[in-house]
């Protein structure tokens, strides 16, 4: 059974930093793109970041709203994907979902339960 | 970025009704279009991929169609458990989601 379990959410002040982790199980982690998607309170889904596999040189992509502030990474030996979030803004407040992007990123077929990040003073 | 526009933003329908949600892309995206169902407090669930392919385990009352810029999600014979928000998402380029359609049961 495919499982994605996020951790690391919490309360942080504006301008602060936070790191989220996601541990995967039930599939060959190293074969897949991995993404982060978020949902702000009362808002829709917003794609945040992507990291490709080793064969694609672990290349990354970011939404314009987080580029330069967030960094996605992965550790295939730990079956984990991370997002380091710096210079956090109140508008980064959201539930962050770890997502498996299958078929070379064409579809999001498995999602974690999400972890809440609150940016507030 | 490719913008995705969904309509309506919300709807209310009765059990047994047919519900149609539309999604329009700001440029042609072939059939690189997916649909997700999101229930409160749960993880989003993939329903339809490639515009018209039904994900394994999804009830057959859900179907998708379209190509280019215009797409539809149809729920035939609406059930109480279909109460959710539905999102389209393009995968032609960097992913973007539509604004969502909240489906309520009368």
């Amino acid at each position: 059974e495919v499982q994605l379990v996020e951790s690391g959410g919490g309360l942080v002040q504006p301008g602060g930093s936070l790191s989220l982790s996601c541990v995967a199980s039930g599939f060959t982690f190293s074969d897949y793109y991995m993404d982060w998607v978020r949902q702000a309170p009362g808002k829709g889904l917003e794609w945040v970041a992507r990291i490709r596999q080793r064969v694609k040189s672990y290349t990354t992509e970011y939404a314009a709203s987080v580029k330069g502030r967030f960094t996605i990474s992965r550790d295939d030996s730990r079956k984990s994907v991370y997002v380091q979030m710096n210079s956090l803004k109140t508008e980064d407040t959201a539930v962050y979902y770890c997502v498996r992007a299958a078929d070379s990123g064409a579809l999001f077929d498995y999602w974690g339960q999400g972890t809440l990040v609150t940016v507030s003073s | 970025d490719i913008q995705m526009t969904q309509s309506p933003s919300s709807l209310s329908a009765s059990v047994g009704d047919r519900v149609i949600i539309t999604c329009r892309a700001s440029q042609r995206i072939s059939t690189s279009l997916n649909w997700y169902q999101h229930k409160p407090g749960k993880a989003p669930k993939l329903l339809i991929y490639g515009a018209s392919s039904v994900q394994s385990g999804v009830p057959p009352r859900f179907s998708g169609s379209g190509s280019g810029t215009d797409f539809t999600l149809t729920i035939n014979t609406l059930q109480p458990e279909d109460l959710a928000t539905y999102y389209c998402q393009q995968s032609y380029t960097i992913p973007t989601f539509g604004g969502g359609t909240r489906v309520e049961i009368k």
Side-chain angles (χ1 to χ4, degrees):
Chain A
E1 178 192 8
V2 172
Q3 285 196 315
L4 299 168
V5 180
E6 303 97 336
S7 61
L11 175 64
V12 60
Q13 292 189 336
S17 298
L18 202 62
S19 180
L20 305 182
S21 301
C22 169
V23 179
S25 60
F27 65 101
T28 305
F29 179 78
S30 58
D31 285 350
Y32 288 86
Y33 292 18
M34 294 300 297
D35 290 39
W36 289 92
V37 174
R38 68 185 180 183
Q39 184 178 36
K43 303 291 187 181
L45 299 173
E46 178 189 18
W47 174 80
V48 173
R50 165 170 291 171
I51 187 164
R52 299 181 179 85
Q53 320 95 314
R54 180 182 178 186
V55 294
K56 297 284 181 72
S57 303
Y58 298 125
T59 52
T60 59
E61 307 281 357
Y62 297 93
S65 58
V66 307
K67 196 167 188 177
R69 299 188 299 121
F70 288 17
T71 302
I72 189 171
S73 61
R74 65 191 292 164
D75 183 339
D76 290 346
S77 68
R78 296 179 185 270
K79 299 183 182 181
S80 295
V81 60
Y82 311 95
V83 60
Q84 175 66 39
M85 305 183 293
N86 297 330
S87 303
L88 282 161
K89 306 175 182 180
T90 55
E91 53 262 42
D92 295 317
T93 295
V95 174
Y96 285 73
Y97 295 98
C98 171
V99 186
R100 188 178 88 166
D103 196 14
S104 296
L107 55 104
F108 299 139
D109 61 347
Y110 285 95
W111 299 62
Q113 287 300 308
T115 187
L116 175 63
V117 172
T118 303
V119 184
S120 174
S121 54
Chain B
D1 291 2
I2 298 176
Q3 308 302 316
M4 306 301 293
T5 304
Q6 281 183 240
S7 61
S9 57
S10 66
L11 64 90
S12 181
S14 300
V15 171
D17 283 354
R18 173 183 292 179
V19 168
I20 297 175
I21 299 169
T22 66
C23 179
R24 174 165 288 178
S26 61
Q27 66 184 72
R28 296 183 66 83
I29 59 170
S30 184
T31 56
S32 301
L33 191 283
N34 307 315
W35 290 97
Y36 301 87
Q37 176 191 63
H38 193 193
K39 297 182 178 181
K42 301 237 176 175
K45 175 184 175 182
L46 175 66
L47 296 176
I48 304 290
Y49 61 94
S52 60
S53 297
V54 181
Q55 175 70 345
S56 175
V58 172
R61 63 180 179 274
F62 291 93
S63 64
S65 65
S67 67
T69 59
D70 294 306
F71 303 86
T72 60
L73 172 70
T74 300
I75 310 173
N76 282 300
T77 318
L78 188 70
Q79 298 298 304
E81 60 266 30
D82 299 334
L83 167 70
T85 301
Y86 294 83
Y87 294 91
C88 62
Q89 174 248 327
Q90 65 81 17
S91 59
Y92 191 77
T93 61
I94 294 302
T96 49
F97 289 90
T101 297
R102 177 178 295 182
V103 174
E104 299 177 342
I105 310 295
K106 281 183 185 174

